[in-house]
Amino acid sequence: MTDHFTSTFTGGQSKDVRIGEILCKAREAASYSVAYVADQTHLKKEVIIALENDQFDQLPSDVFVKGYIRSYAKLLGIDSQDLLAVYPQNRVLETETIVPQIKKVKKINSLSVDPVVIWSSVTVVAILAGLLMTWWVYQEDSDPVELASVVECFDAEHLTEAGSEQEQQQQNSETKHNVVLGNIDPQNISAEQNVAPELVDDEDRVIPQQQAQVIPTIIELPISGGEIDKVRITVKYTEESWTEIVDARKRRLLHGLMKAGATRVISGQAPFNVFFGNSPGVQLEINGKPFDHSIYMRRNSTARFLINDNNS
Amino acid sequence: MFGRILGLFSNDLSIDLGTANTLIYVRDKGIVLNEPSVVAIRNDPNTGTRSIEAVGASAKRMLGRTPTNIEAIRPMKDGVIADFTTTERMLQHFIRAVHKNMILRPSPRVLVCVPCGATQVERRAIRESADGAGARKTYLIEEPIAAAIGAGLPIDEARGSMILDIGGGTSEVAVLSLNGIVYSASVRIGGDKFDDAIISYVRRNYGVLIGEATAERVKQVIGTAYPGKDMLEIEVKGRNLSEGVPKSFSLNSNEILEALQEPLHGIVSAVKTALEQTPPELGADVAERGIVLTGGGALLRDLDRLIMEETGIPVIVADDPLASVARGGGKVLEMLDEFGSDLLTRD
């Protein structure tokens, strides 16, 4: 009996074969009633009838229906594997109850181990790194802000501006180093190069080697690319103040929080765009002349103004 | 950030770290590894070092057949880690085996299934051993949830589904609804206990000692959980306890059925308790649709029939029950990016 059904089933017309029909015929051949089958498999009669009529949509999800077919087939002595091989073709609807969650999944980490993928990633990373390096090097060579910011590194305790006409200041001040910015002539450069080692010798304080080395470097740096700057501004801080001074070329000559007691000398091309965070604590000299900026002070002590060629 | 880049070169893995077998499911590839959880370690008496001799199937063949300087260990016991270092080494070996053709050291995201009865300490041990084996991130999931998803149960519906996962060391029974566990219990009865029961039955009735591997073979070939029409027989060899010499004799399926009564009773009791504890609405759903059997234990002949007769509820064996847990874990891993970690366990 079993052989008969199995051979009918596998006889080549699997598309036309209905699972329910095979089960029904096998049951009748074994002369079992639906009630008997239901009792043996602990399933409801309705389930058995639905199985025999291929009404799978009336039954719960796939896993259960397959299980029911398996236990029914086992009772009848049929090989359930052949029946289940046809099953998915008959049932499409039920798979959708579970699978949608999985189908929607974005495949984020699903790159397979493909050498092409690995090498192309490596190449892209290398190119990006190369571009980054090129940009970095170019940035270092061309950024004028960097030069101005070097000036800020020096504290006023160590640095005081001394122009060629103000050299006497350096003798009055015991702890001050000299920096010449702006219009430098070769004489000044040589004078400054001589001063730096003297300071190390004369003073008890040990000047950090790094600073001593940097001083001549700054002198050599042509801030305005060799052009002569017209205006020299001296900024003295009696109180701490945030400061930003930008010259006509949009170079940021001074930027950041300055400490009380600090003195900064900058030179550049007018007009200068000046901003003081705490303007009462700042004294300004333009080309050696004191400049009163209190008229620009706002309610919150800040001051923002423009210094033109005529010092107005 | 760096981990994500490394992740591009590793596959996400779902690991069913079982007492008897370890299965690994790789995302988009399916089950790629199914090896016994056995490690053979060689002790070097001169240097005092221990090195891995074999892992998996080759190590299992050595079980009970090793010289003094090699020991074959099953590092998992009762569903949890019994030997931490060896488990770590074993996992490391398996993860590398899955990433065979990799240039870089693999660092996959790993989802490991844990028995629902595992304690905090045991969970932590599993997590740390996966981390130690090279996982970039380790997730844990309760075995019944993974088994249910792997079997294809619609656990996201507001209907009760009961799953019985019989593994090598533990059996988990759980009622699930709306992606969560309503009731779960874990009994430390599984395939290993079946083997032990067969060994002690043979010793008691035949006065012969057989090994674990032989007992497992007997169970797989003629083991049955419910009296059937056919009687199967197998020829077995063991050591006669009184004479001390090897002895050959035959066992039949009815004897094995008798031998397995005790562990089977334990499992049936767990199922009955679960049915008692299940809220009535969910219990009705379970009674209508049936209990789903997964795990290697589900392959024991007529186990579904036994539970069906004992509970009066239809019992269904899942497709490919051995791989249900790993497959379910894999599906969870696939859903992780989109649906978050609702299904995962927190420790």
Side-chain angles (χ1 to χ4, degrees), chain A residues 139-140 143-151:
Chain A
Q139 192 75 0
E140 270 195 337
D143 192 0
V145 178
E146 291 289 319
L147 303 178
S149 63
V150 174
V151 179

Side-chain angles (χ1 to χ4, degrees), chain A residues 136-261:
Chain A
W136 182 260
V137 170
Y138 176 76
Q139 192 75 0
E140 270 195 337
D141 288 343
S142 65
D143 192 0
V145 178
E146 291 289 319
L147 303 178
S149 63
V150 174
V151 179
E152 296 166 24
C153 299
F154 294 88
D155 196 88
E157 286 178 12
H158 299 163
L159 300 178
T160 296
E161 189 280 337
S164 54
E165 67 275 32
Q166 291 177 329
E167 283 192 356
Q168 68 278 10
Q169 273 193 359
Q170 67 183 358
Q171 285 145 13
N172 300 336
S173 161
E174 285 183 1
T175 62
K176 290 180 180 172
H177 299 209
N178 301 333
V179 174
V180 178
L181 296 173
N183 47 349
I184 303 156
D185 59 33
Q187 280 182 337
N188 282 335
I189 294 171
S190 58
E192 286 305 317
Q193 282 169 336
N194 293 333
V195 167
E198 277 172 22
L199 285 169
V200 178
D201 295 334
D202 294 344
E203 289 171 14
D204 293 332
R205 297 176 51 177
V206 177
I207 297 167
Q209 188 64 29
Q210 205 179 356
Q211 289 181 3
Q213 288 171 346
V214 173
I215 291 165
T217 318
I218 294 165
I219 294 164
E220 287 165 12
L221 291 173
I223 289 179
S224 55
E227 289 177 28
I228 297 169
D229 295 318
K230 291 174 183 172
V231 184
R232 176 174 294 108
I233 300 176
T234 310
V235 195
K236 291 178 181 172
Y237 294 89
T238 54
E239 291 171 33
E240 207 170 56
S241 172
W242 173 269
T243 304
E244 185 177 32
I245 299 177
V246 180
D247 78 347
R249 295 176 158 195
K250 303 287 179 200
R251 291 184 308 170
R252 214 185 248 171
L253 301 177
L254 210 52
H255 177 247
L257 186 68
M258 305 300 159
K259 288 178 184 170

